[in-house]
Amino acid sequence: MKLSVLDLVPVRSRQSSSDALAASIDLAKAADALGYTRYWVAEHHNMPSVASTNPAVIIGILAAHTDRIRVGSGGVMLPNHAPLVVAEQFALLEASAPGRIDLGLGRAPGSDPVVTAVLNRSGATSDVNQFPNYVSDIVSLLGPDGATVRLTSGTEYQLKSTPAATSVPDMWLLGSSDYSATLAASLGLPYVFAHHFAGHGAERALEIYRGQFQPSELLDAPRTFVTANIVVAPTASEAYALALPNLQHMARLRSNEPLGRLATVEEAANTTMSPMQDEFISASLGSWIIDEPVAAAQRVRELAKRFDVDEVMVSPGASAYDAESLTETPGRVQTLELLAQQLLAD
């Protein structure tokens, strides 16, 4: 089995953005040393608990601090960006770390309506209704021949994302609906369903993707994996304590409460949630993997078998204790270490 990592660069109590980034660099180094396959960072905006606002910038930082692991976006939210800019960014990332860059593209905005309005006003965004065309444009721009642009005069103009590429990043389509599965299949691209976020619908989406897949120059057969929220500790009770801050945070998000930075373990233990929020947390326990190492590893194997994949991307949802270093993330590193001992030891 292959294991990978999805990171939102969480910002917990008393952490600065610098602290949070340092902690994620620490986590990426651990994943690299432990034999994880890839390390992806998300794109979210204007959230007090998330510092992952610009995947391309963070990928460059993480690639410079690691040696082997693939580094990529999970994902770049294409409506927030001009396709040419995305292609140019990832062509340069690939040039700086050949064979190690993944470009995951999503259709969601990754932000609230105000942020979307601000981005639209800046003029640096793309039309969400043109998403399929813009994905195809990025595929062409990243290729060795680039894209052909026809001007209003009828003249054709060659456009490349970089002058002399020797390799290209792997492209993935991300989504949490049938739409993304259908598009990935029609374009012959790898596909990942956001199971860690959506919690349901993955079976149908993957069935559509595999059933409708059309081979392309990039890919001759369906390629996918599954994501999951996972917290592992020496005991199940400790794993739950480490996961509770994130569970409470998601409950606040779903009940439209104001969000702050991610709580520490001690802060979460002393927090009273509403009955509706407690119900959400209880329901989440069915989709999260929160357990001691042997049981957690078995649940990961069962998840992979359920979706017929050989790779699971771990979203390590552990917070930290009050006394732990602000520039490290021991709980998340522990999750990766304990899973690797069970699943990557061979």
Side-chain angles (χ1 to χ4, degrees), residues 255-275:
S255 56
N256 294 316
E257 271 196 15
L259 300 178
R261 299 183 199 181
L262 185 66
T264 62
V265 171
E266 291 88 349
E267 289 168 343
N270 291 316
T271 297
T272 300
M273 306 295 287
S274 72

Side-chain angles (χ1 to χ4, degrees), residues 279-291:
E279 183 177 340
F280 172 85
I281 291 171
S282 296
S284 298
L285 297 180
S287 58
W288 283 55
I289 296 175
I290 303 170
D291 222 322

Side-chain angles (χ1 to χ4, degrees), residues 58-71:
I58 300 175
I59 289 166
I61 294 168
L62 297 179
H65 283 87
T66 52
D67 300 314
R68 175 204 55 82
I69 196 168
R70 297 190 67 89
V71 190

Side-chain angles (χ1 to χ4, degrees), residues 26 141 171 202 245 315:
D26 181 53
L141 288 165
M171 273 190 65
S315 180

Side-chain angles (χ1 to χ4, degrees), residues 9-24 48-51 261-264 267 318-321 324-330 332:
V9 192
V11 185
R12 66 179 189 265
S13 294
R14 298 185 297 112
Q15 273 190 323
S16 65
S17 296
S18 296
D19 294 333
L21 185 58
S24 283
S49 62
V50 176
R261 299 183 199 181
L262 185 66
T264 62
E267 289 168 343
S319 186
Y321 291 94
E324 289 176 340
S325 169
L326 296 177
T327 58
E328 296 177 347
T329 182
R332 293 197 293 159

Side-chain angles (χ1 to χ4, degrees), residues 121-158:
R121 190 169 61 190
S122 72
T125 57
S126 61
D127 181 1
V128 67
N129 296 316
Q130 293 294 317
F131 181 74
N133 295 330
Y134 291 149
V135 171
S136 296
D137 289 345
I138 292 174
V139 171
S140 297
L141 288 165
L142 287 171
D145 298 326
T148 301
V149 179
R150 184 179 295 274
L151 305 180
T152 54
S153 63
T155 305
E156 291 187 345
Y157 184 81
Q158 290 302 116

